[in-house]
Amino acid sequence: MPVGMWPVRSRAVQTALVCCLIGSFVAALLLLVGCNGSAPATDSAGDRALRIVATIGQIADAVRRVGGDAVEVHALMGPGVDPHLYRASESDITRLESADAVFWNGLHLEAGMTGVLERMEDLGVRSVRVTDGIDRGQLLAPPEFEGAYDPHVWFDLGLWAVVVASIRDALVDLDPAGAATYRANAEAYVAEIEDLDAYVTEQADTLDAAIRALVTAHDAFNYFARRYGFEVRGLQGISTESEASTADVQALARFISDRGIRAVFIESSVPDQGVQAVIEAAGARGHTVVVGGEIYSDAMGAAGTPEGTYLGMIRHNIDTIVSGLSGE
């Protein structure tokens, strides 16, 4: 179907979709599409920007960088929002059903919205799982994550460059007339990602191996650890849906004490009570550990700040981690 020719659906359909989310969304959605036998009205994109919905800020930022002025991007999950726990609202459904395309992670990150996102094409909205282009042999599959892959691929800048290529290809497919622009923008953006990758490696290498340990609220940094030579420990699992027990707190406190770790880190999208409990437990063992700073995991910073971009978020993280662990 050409760009901009997605069906326009009525307010009644939007309301029905919200009800489906509350109840059995998937079955009701398919029934709704099957019963709508009338020919839909069309909305030609013409000279307007492509309407894109992205689930998380990292994806939205990449689509903006590749799409430039040819795209209008809305991120469903803003600063401080945990995508593992996010549920679609009525306004989200309205945005999704009127978009030209939705770009999402696709590795169970958006757990509460997977059924919705997988079936957007049944409603005439292009659905793009941006991680589909990554070789599955490059993905981490922790056994505790129920057979699924770790979705936090943006912490490996090499893998994120692959995601950018997938976004480029999807935009070219949506809008072939803009292909040259999308390819040039993607090439320039990947060059910046590669430069930042070299910077992160250089900064990480300033830390002795003995103290290159990253302790956070949840286990989001395994790709970062693999690429840059860190040992990581999260109080919660890959998904924040899991809850830490007293035994988890004590085990992490013991690890911190035994390794002589100076700092642990809180995350902008995860409550810090668990980390504070670990600090207290380490103190009870006679070891002082401090909060080394706030870093960004599943969500980026506020719009208009350096941390509100993917590149700024990564640079902030490595600078904060190195400063905290080195005691500067």
Side-chain angles (χ1 to χ4, degrees):
M1 184 177 293
V3 174
M5 299 298 287
W6 308 116
V8 174
R9 288 156 294 278
S10 68
R11 178 66 179 177
V13 174
Q14 295 175 16
T15 302
L17 285 175
V18 176
C19 292
C20 290
L21 280 173
I22 297 173
S24 179
F25 181 87
V26 175
L29 178 59
L30 294 176
L31 178 62
L32 173 65
V33 174
C35 291
N36 185 12
S38 59
T42 59
D43 169 27
S44 177
D47 294 329
R48 70 165 171 79
L50 292 171
R51 292 189 297 253
I52 306 296
V53 174
T55 51
I56 62 172
Q58 294 90 329
I59 296 174
D61 189 51
V63 176
R64 289 190 189 101
R65 289 296 306 269
V66 177
D69 293 337
V71 298
E72 177 185 315
V73 185
H74 175 78
L76 293 180
M77 307 174 200
V81 175
D82 183 351
H84 298 285
L85 305 178
Y86 191 81
R87 298 293 184 270
S89 67
E90 181 177 358
S91 62
D92 291 338
I93 296 301
T94 300
R95 285 188 181 276
L96 286 166
E97 66 90 32
S98 63
D100 294 304
V102 55
F103 287 70
W104 54 299
N105 178 281
L107 295 177
H108 204 64
L109 177 72
E110 307 95 342
M113 293 185 64
T114 300
V116 180
L117 297 167
E118 285 180 340
R119 287 162 175 80
M120 291 312 300
E121 299 218 18
D122 293 334
L123 297 177
V125 178
R126 177 71 178 274
S127 180
V128 181
R129 293 183 298 190
V130 300
T131 58
D132 278 357
I134 299 175
D135 183 337
R136 268 30 193 173
Q138 294 296 311
L139 294 175
L140 298 173
E144 68 273 16
F145 200 38
E146 301 177 355
Y149 294 111
D150 184 334
H152 303 93
V153 295
W154 54 89
F155 285 124
D156 181 326
L157 277 79
L159 294 184
W160 199 245
V162 177
V163 166
V164 170
S166 295
I167 290 170
R168 174 203 64 203
D169 292 346
L171 290 176
V172 168
D173 191 43
L174 282 162
D175 177 24
T181 297
Y182 301 141
R183 288 172 180 143
N185 289 349
E187 182 178 0
Y189 189 37
V190 167
E192 291 184 55
I193 291 172
E194 290 172 345
D195 287 345
L196 182 58
D197 184 42
Y199 175 79
V200 174
T201 300
E202 177 185 337
Q203 292 303 108
D205 287 345
T206 65
L207 296 173
D208 292 338
I211 64 170
R212 206 181 290 189
L214 177 61
V215 177
T216 58
H218 93 293
D219 210 5
F221 293 89
N222 288 300
Y223 289 103
F224 173 85
R226 181 180 69 180
R227 190 166 185 89
Y228 305 109
F230 279 76
E231 182 175 1
V232 297
R233 296 290 180 95
L235 182 58
Q236 294 171 269
I238 299 293
S239 170
T240 54
E241 290 180 307
S242 62
E243 294 186 3
S245 65
T246 300
D248 294 328
V249 170
Q250 292 298 327
L252 194 51
R254 182 168 56 252
F255 169 77
I256 290 168
S257 302
D258 291 347
R259 289 287 297 272
I261 295 171
R262 298 169 177 164
V264 296
F265 300 87
I266 59 175
E267 299 171 53
S268 66
S269 58
V270 183
D272 67 354
Q273 295 96 321
V275 172
Q276 295 297 338
V278 170
I279 290 173
E280 292 175 8
R285 301 176 69 87
H287 177 72
T288 299
V289 60
V290 301
V291 173
E294 181 182 68
I295 57 178
Y296 298 93
S297 55
D298 292 342
M300 302 194 307
T305 68
E307 296 79 16
T309 68
Y310 170 72
L311 298 177
M313 160 192 164
I314 296 296
R315 183 177 289 270
H316 167 88
N317 278 2
I318 188 61
D319 288 346
T320 302
I321 291 166
V322 169
S323 175
L325 292 179
S326 62
E328 295 179 358

